[in-house]
Amino acid sequence: MAVPYPARPTWPDILRMDHAPALPHQQLTTLDERLAGAAARPVVLPETIVVDRGKVFVSRAFTAACKTLGISVQPAPPHAPTAKGIVERGFGTINALFCQHLPGYTGSDVTRRGPDTEQEACYSVAQLQDLLDEWLVHYHHRPHEGLRHPMMPRKALTPNQMWAALIAVAGYVPVPLTGHDYLELLPVRWQAITASGIRIHHRTYDHDQLAPYRGQPSPVAGRGGRWEIHYNPHDVRQIWIRLPDGHLTEIPWIHRNHVHQPFNDHTWQRIRTLAVHGNHGDADSHEADLADALDQLMRRVHSGHATKAEQALLARSAAVPLPTARHPEDDTGQSADRPAQQNEDDSIDDLDDEDTGPAASTGFGLYDAYEEADKW
């Protein structure tokens, strides 16, 4: 919201700020170079955000981010939707103009549902987010009856046109968020530094920079000697710890070089529940076995040899579409609870010799509901 949003390469030109006639792109680019490749949507730093007391809005991560950016958070009264009517109307617009065109849409009641919605293909969370991001930029080109200019009260303006009018009055102030700022906005937890490093959910994070602080209490009072840890919920292969110098230092997972694709904590916990073999008494060996099981799962999914349950597990955090899962008749006795047997030479160390870099994002293009309907 506070910084320019990069336009995707596959988006049509009309969704780019430099092709939007309603926006003063050339003047704004002289103030913020990031707007040169930005999407055509408003960039604002709000003074106040009204929230409905949902867990995500009263979480420590959200309130800490607002505090860092100087934004006031105002909780709405309980059971009072009229206190945030603009937001409720926005949800209705998303349901009416976006969700109803997606496969598998169930609607608000049975009369609005398709004939066989349970059997229709659904998008993964990452695919759905990509489509929603594109639709939101398109939405800012659509006239809104609630947006009126004092000099043209009879003309409904688009959000982009209204933003351009307000920018001419209030001006534009760039918010120079850097990579360090994004690390500061990540969720926080407090952990001790042990002799082996930092242990979180049976994962060990360690680096030589932790050597002077092993077994030492944190200088932060009131935290029981624990240290401030920042983490990315969508990629737990590394954490960031605030050392006495005040800076956040990246600490990798000790098996990060063996698991080259991002994964979230939900995937890791699922792997733990499926790991029925191995010596659980030896924490180091058990963690290595879990890393190997995760590696083998990713191999099966990305090669198209995974079951539907395994594919669904990784689809939660996948940034690109995954290969189609094999059909049940193709199974040879294995299930999601029993990983397929691999060759003896197929180990996590073999990844160093393979091209395991992230796949190029191809995008989904502009969504056409009628074209999509012809496919079903």
Side-chain angles (χ1 to χ4, degrees), residues 289 291-307 310 326 332 334-335 338-348 350-351 354:
D289 291 340
D292 183 71
L294 178 59
D295 167 69
Q296 300 300 339
L297 171 63
M298 289 181 172
R299 286 174 179 271
R300 292 194 299 274
V301 170
H302 288 280
S303 63
H305 293 85
T307 64
E310 292 175 333
R326 66 173 184 263
T332 57
Q334 291 89 354
S335 66
R338 295 177 57 189
Q341 185 69 29
Q342 303 291 325
N343 296 331
E344 293 182 359
D345 296 335
D346 190 13
S347 68
I348 56 181
D350 295 336
L351 284 174
E354 298 179 1

Side-chain angles (χ1 to χ4, degrees), residues 269-277 310 313 336-339:
Q269 297 296 349
R270 181 60 176 168
I271 291 293
R272 287 187 56 204
T273 61
L274 300 179
V276 295
H277 303 292
E310 292 175 333
L313 179 61
D337 295 339
R338 295 177 57 189

Side-chain angles (χ1 to χ4, degrees), residues 111-315:
T111 63
R112 298 176 180 268
R113 300 178 183 178
D116 197 12
T117 57
E118 289 79 6
Q119 301 303 320
E120 292 182 349
C122 296
Y123 293 117
S124 67
V125 174
Q127 292 172 312
L128 188 61
Q129 182 66 57
D130 187 271
L131 289 171
L132 180 61
D133 289 342
E134 183 174 351
W135 178 85
L136 288 174
V137 180
H138 176 76
Y139 170 80
H140 287 97
H141 291 73
R142 180 176 179 270
H144 194 291
E145 291 296 328
L147 298 178
R148 305 282 176 166
H149 193 283
M151 305 302 295
M152 299 180 292
R154 295 185 179 181
K155 179 178 177 59
L157 303 181
T158 68
N160 277 340
Q161 291 172 334
M162 195 69 196
W163 181 62
L166 295 177
I167 283 291
V169 177
Y172 176 82
V173 179
V175 180
L177 291 180
T178 64
H180 174 76
D181 295 312
Y182 286 105
L183 293 181
E184 291 286 352
L185 297 178
L186 288 176
V188 178
R189 61 182 300 151
W190 296 83
Q191 296 284 147
I193 302 178
T194 65
S196 59
I198 301 171
R199 294 276 293 179
I200 301 177
H201 295 163
H202 294 263
R203 295 186 304 272
T204 304
Y205 300 86
D206 196 16
H207 194 274
D208 292 341
Q209 298 187 56
L210 295 180
Y213 312 106
R214 300 184 190 275
Q216 300 298 318
S218 166
V220 180
R223 292 293 179 176
R226 294 174 294 178
W227 297 76
E228 180 182 349
I229 304 295
H230 291 236
Y231 65 97
N232 181 357
H234 308 291
D235 185 4
V236 296
R237 295 176 301 165
Q238 58 278 311
I239 60 175
W240 293 266
I241 183 173
R242 192 181 303 281
L243 295 179
D245 59 5
H247 299 293
L248 290 174
T249 301
E250 180 178 329
I251 306 298
W253 180 38
I254 60 175
H255 296 290
R256 184 173 65 176
N257 292 336
H258 300 309
V259 182
H260 289 238
Q261 297 293 333
F263 65 96
N264 55 28
D265 198 63
H266 174 82
T267 303
W268 177 258
Q269 297 296 349
R270 181 60 176 168
I271 291 293
R272 287 187 56 204
T273 61
L274 300 179
V276 295
H277 303 292
N279 182 12
H280 292 200
D282 187 345
D284 294 337
S285 298
H286 181 50
E287 182 176 357
D289 291 340
L290 294 177
D292 183 71
L294 178 59
D295 167 69
Q296 300 300 339
L297 171 63
M298 289 181 172
R299 286 174 179 271
R300 292 194 299 274
V301 170
H302 288 280
S303 63
H305 293 85
T307 64
K308 291 184 178 180
E310 292 175 333
Q311 186 190 45
L313 179 61
L314 281 192

